[in-house]
Amino acid sequence: MSSVHELLRKGFAALMPLSMALSPVAFAAAPGPVGEVSQQALNPVAIGMFLLFVLVTLLITWWAARRTRSSGDFYNAGGQISGLQNGAAIAGDFMSAASFLGITGLIFLGGFDGLVLALGAFSAWPLMLFLLARRVRNLGRFTFIDVVSERLERTRIRLVAISGTLTVVILYLIAQMVGAGKLIQLLFGLPYEVAVIAVSALVLAYVTFGGMLATTWVQIVKAILLLTGVTVCAVLVMYHAGFSFDTLLVEATAAHPRGDAILRAGQIFDDPVQVTTTLVAMLFGTLGLPHILMRLYTVPDMVQAKRSAFYASLFMGYFYLALIVLGFGSVMLLYGNPEFFEPGGGLVGGGNMASIHLASAVGGDVLTGFMSAVTFATILAVVAGLTVSGAAAISHDLYAEVMCKGQPDPARELFLTRVTTVTIGVIAVVLGILFQDENVAFIATMPMVVAASVNFPLLFLSLFWSGLTTRGAVIGAVLGLVSSVVLIVIGPQVWVSVLGFEAPLFPYDYPALFTLPLALAACWLFSVTDRSTRGTKDRANYHALLLRSEFGDAASSAADGGEAVAGAPAAGGRV
């Protein structure tokens, strides 16, 4: 094996605990601190691809900056992204290299159990297509908070929704910045602090100058890279299996120590409640992620928004199907091959290194180096999307809609947006440095739980339940936020792994199965018992906005003889 090849494998072995911490399936990894990443010798293959990606994205930013002249351009790229482009960008925002590493590793270790998690990650997208895309696009302008504030008291509901959004964004940013910093430290041998600052500078360049337009194209490039990588790996695996999936499964079961058992559930996860609560977090958390929902406003109309969700579903469905091939391919090609295993019998770098070893087995140095560049591209794309979402929550939802009552000065709003972006970047750097040696696995999963317990109940009930009132929504969202954070802290990953207690006070890592019903129940209880004038108005607003949520401003205006619906702006007016 070449020295370059060996360095790539060692590098990914050092990066693996971190990569798993960035994934919704991080519970599959053993808990523990991230620890030090040993600096490796310079890797020409990975570094060359990495620098090429940086050059391309900087050129995209330069092009986008010339077209970003208003706050609308910054938030939603002027609403001129096509459905196909936006679908690819959504896929790029959601598909992670950690999913590529983690799910493949789970299939390598336990077979079918990894497929269950892939299903959980994908299942949100048909729901996004059929339940949310049309109504979210028709009722909002820049963020999902626009939607929930349409029928509820704007100041209170915006403040609580902003709190949920910023919590999700900050928690995601911590994990992503640590991941990016460790990767740059690994590839270039730079001090960690310098690596984090360099990554933040790149993202700030994308977002501050190019806004959502630059972010969109960075995400599209990243999606193309990741889909290309998994496609090449999958084709090469099928080549080794004679392009027969039956042969792949037969040879995989023959090679795996557990044999045919890997085709049945229960090899890794024997607690159905733990699996269920994790799947709930992944499913409903995805439907409440602010940076994903924000992408529905980058297209010109509702039809393109639905096409976005359709194409995103298509791309991600293909991605997870390819991971099935990669997972069983890693079983077929790695087991029995001593060069990928430690003397004690374990896979070099752990079971989650299976996908990288598979790339080495089927594609050599070039493919392994390419996947390292994809890892970095993934992190940058996600950080850019999160930064835009956080900036919009402050400059649009807080400043423009709450402080200025929907009538901000456009130039000042755009200036504040860019200042907020830089501020978020600085915060990300500081938190990335502070948390560099901490266990970030629980931090990376908290955004999904928080989004499922705060953002999703607000959005779903405001769109589909006429009885929701401001009081119920605010109390339910606050309870969802507090309960999700508290239960994670007293659960195994924090109470035992971080704080050092012998046993957790709450037995499950990801409490969305419990916090989501609590938030929904609180919204229902405090809404049905709300007899206030505001509550009556909230209920009436639902019926006034129902037609507009389905058909847009033009339909609702026509139904009212050309007048805007009650409680809503005129067609084309500011939300």
Side-chain angles (χ1 to χ4, degrees):
M1 181 177 295
S2 69
S3 59
V4 172
H5 195 175
E6 183 65 26
L7 287 173
L8 282 167
R9 291 177 54 201
K10 289 181 179 179
F12 270 97
L15 184 64
M16 178 52 58
L18 177 65
S19 300
M20 285 306 300
L22 304 180
S23 172
V25 296
F27 69 93
V34 173
E36 294 295 327
V37 173
S38 57
Q39 295 181 357
Q40 304 294 319
L42 293 182
N43 186 316
V45 177
I47 290 175
M49 293 182 179
F50 160 80
L51 291 177
L52 179 62
F53 171 78
V54 171
L55 176 62
V56 170
T57 53
L58 287 177
L59 289 174
I60 289 172
T61 302
W62 173 79
W63 167 78
R66 302 175 64 187
R67 291 161 174 78
T68 301
R69 301 182 178 88
S70 67
S71 58
D73 293 335
F74 187 95
Y75 297 139
N76 65 9
Q80 298 304 311
I81 304 299
S82 72
L84 175 59
Q85 293 167 346
N86 199 44
I90 291 174
D93 214 354
F94 186 78
M95 293 185 306
S96 67
S99 295
F100 162 71
L101 299 170
I103 292 178
T104 306
L106 288 175
I107 297 174
F108 173 79
L109 293 174
F112 180 81
D113 283 353
L115 306 185
V116 173
L117 295 175
L119 178 62
F122 171 71
S123 57
W125 294 99
L127 294 178
M128 179 75 77
L129 172 61
F130 292 110
L131 286 182
L132 298 183
R134 180 200 302 118
R135 291 193 176 192
V136 170
R137 177 60 182 82
N138 283 338
L139 288 179
R141 189 184 182 198
F142 296 133
T143 70
F144 88 95
I145 301 176
D146 289 336
V147 177
V148 300
S149 66
E150 275 295 273
R151 52 176 294 217
L152 305 176
E153 197 274 303
R154 295 192 173 199
T155 299
R156 283 190 290 165
I157 200 61
R158 279 189 181 274
L159 288 176
V160 72
I162 289 169
S163 300
T165 294
L166 291 179
T167 301
V168 171
V169 167
I170 293 299
L171 292 175
Y172 252 130
L173 277 176
I174 293 173
Q176 297 295 332
M177 290 303 295
V178 172
K182 295 290 184 180
L183 181 57
I184 296 300
Q185 179 187 15
L186 175 72
L187 291 179
F188 290 93
L190 295 174
Y192 174 82
E193 293 78 6
V194 175
V196 169
I197 293 172
V199 170
S200 182
L202 271 177
V203 173
L204 288 179
Y206 301 155
V207 178
T208 304
F209 298 106
M212 180 60 86
L213 184 59
T215 299
T216 296
W217 281 100
V218 169
Q219 290 162 342
I220 291 173
V221 170
K222 172 260 171 148
I224 293 172
L225 290 176
L226 185 57
L227 289 175
T228 299
V230 298
T231 298
V232 171
C233 289
V235 170
L236 292 174
V237 166
M238 293 305 296
Y239 170 79
H240 283 275
F243 293 98
S244 168
F245 191 71
D246 287 343
T247 301
L248 174 62
L249 292 182
V250 169
E251 294 192 12
T253 55
H256 200 284
R258 298 177 182 176
D260 292 344
I262 65 171
L263 302 181
R264 300 189 296 270
Q267 300 305 305
I268 300 177
F269 313 115
D270 56 3
D271 185 346
V273 177
Q274 181 74 286
V275 175
T276 302
T277 190
T278 304
L279 293 179
V280 168
M282 294 168 66
L283 169 60
F284 296 105
T286 299
L287 295 176
L289 290 176
H291 60 296
I292 297 295
L293 293 168
M294 193 174 181
R295 295 225 53 90
L296 296 175
Y297 303 113
T298 62
V299 293
D301 52 45
M302 173 268 293
V303 173
Q304 294 298 323
K306 294 186 68 175
R307 286 179 181 172
S308 298
F310 168 76
Y311 284 121
S313 302
L314 192 66
F315 292 139
M316 283 180 280
Y318 171 80
F319 173 71
Y320 287 113
L321 286 175
L323 291 190
I324 296 174
V325 175
L326 267 57
F328 285 105
S330 66
V331 175
M332 177 183 70
L333 295 174
L334 299 186
Y335 279 106
N337 192 335
E339 69 174 310
F340 297 112
F341 287 83
E342 301 282 2
L347 193 68
V348 174
N352 295 315
M353 270 290 288
S355 56
I356 302 305
H357 291 312
L358 179 65
S360 300
V362 299
D365 298 345
V366 174
L367 186 56
T368 313
F370 177 78
M371 295 314 301
S372 69
V374 168
T375 302
F376 181 75
T378 295
I379 295 173
L380 281 186
V382 174
V383 171
L386 289 167
T387 303
V388 172
S389 179
I394 298 296
S395 56
H396 170 66
D397 293 309
L398 182 59
Y399 169 74
E401 297 297 333
V402 175
M403 298 175 63
C404 297
K405 308 299 182 184
Q407 300 294 327
D409 175 76
R412 182 172 296 179
E413 183 181 0
L414 181 58
F415 173 76
L416 178 62
T417 299
R418 286 177 165 149
V419 171
T420 303
T421 299
V422 174
T423 303
I424 291 174
V426 172
I427 292 173
V429 168
V430 172
L431 292 177
I433 293 174
L434 290 176
F435 284 85
Q436 62 176 299
D437 294 320
E438 297 298 325
N439 183 339
V440 297
F442 80 93
I443 299 174
T445 53
M446 280 180 65
M448 301 297 286
V449 178
V450 172
S453 306
V454 181
N455 297 346
F456 173 75
L458 285 179
L459 184 62
F460 181 77
L461 293 178
S462 65
L463 290 176
F464 294 100
W465 184 39
S466 62
L468 183 69
T469 68
T470 300
R471 187 181 77 166
V474 169
I475 294 176
V478 170
L479 282 177
L481 177 60
V482 173
S483 63
S484 59
V485 173
V486 169
L487 290 182
I488 287 178
V489 170
I490 65 175
Q493 288 204 34
V494 180
W495 198 253
V496 177
S497 301
V498 177
L499 300 181
F501 292 97
E502 292 185 3
L505 302 180
F506 180 76
Y508 304 109
D509 293 324
Y510 312 109
L513 180 63
F514 308 94
T515 56
L516 173 56
L518 175 63
L520 291 173
C523 288
W524 173 81
L525 176 63
F526 290 100
S527 292
V528 298
T529 58
D530 187 357
R531 299 292 182 263
S532 66
T533 302
R534 179 69 242 184
T536 302
K537 185 177 181 180
D538 293 336
R539 298 183 187 97
N541 282 345
Y542 177 79
H543 300 286
L545 291 174
L546 181 59
L547 185 63
R548 181 171 158 232
S549 73
E550 289 290 335
F551 301 104
D553 285 323
S556 61
S557 296
D560 286 336
E563 297 295 328
V565 295
R574 185 178 183 85
V575 175

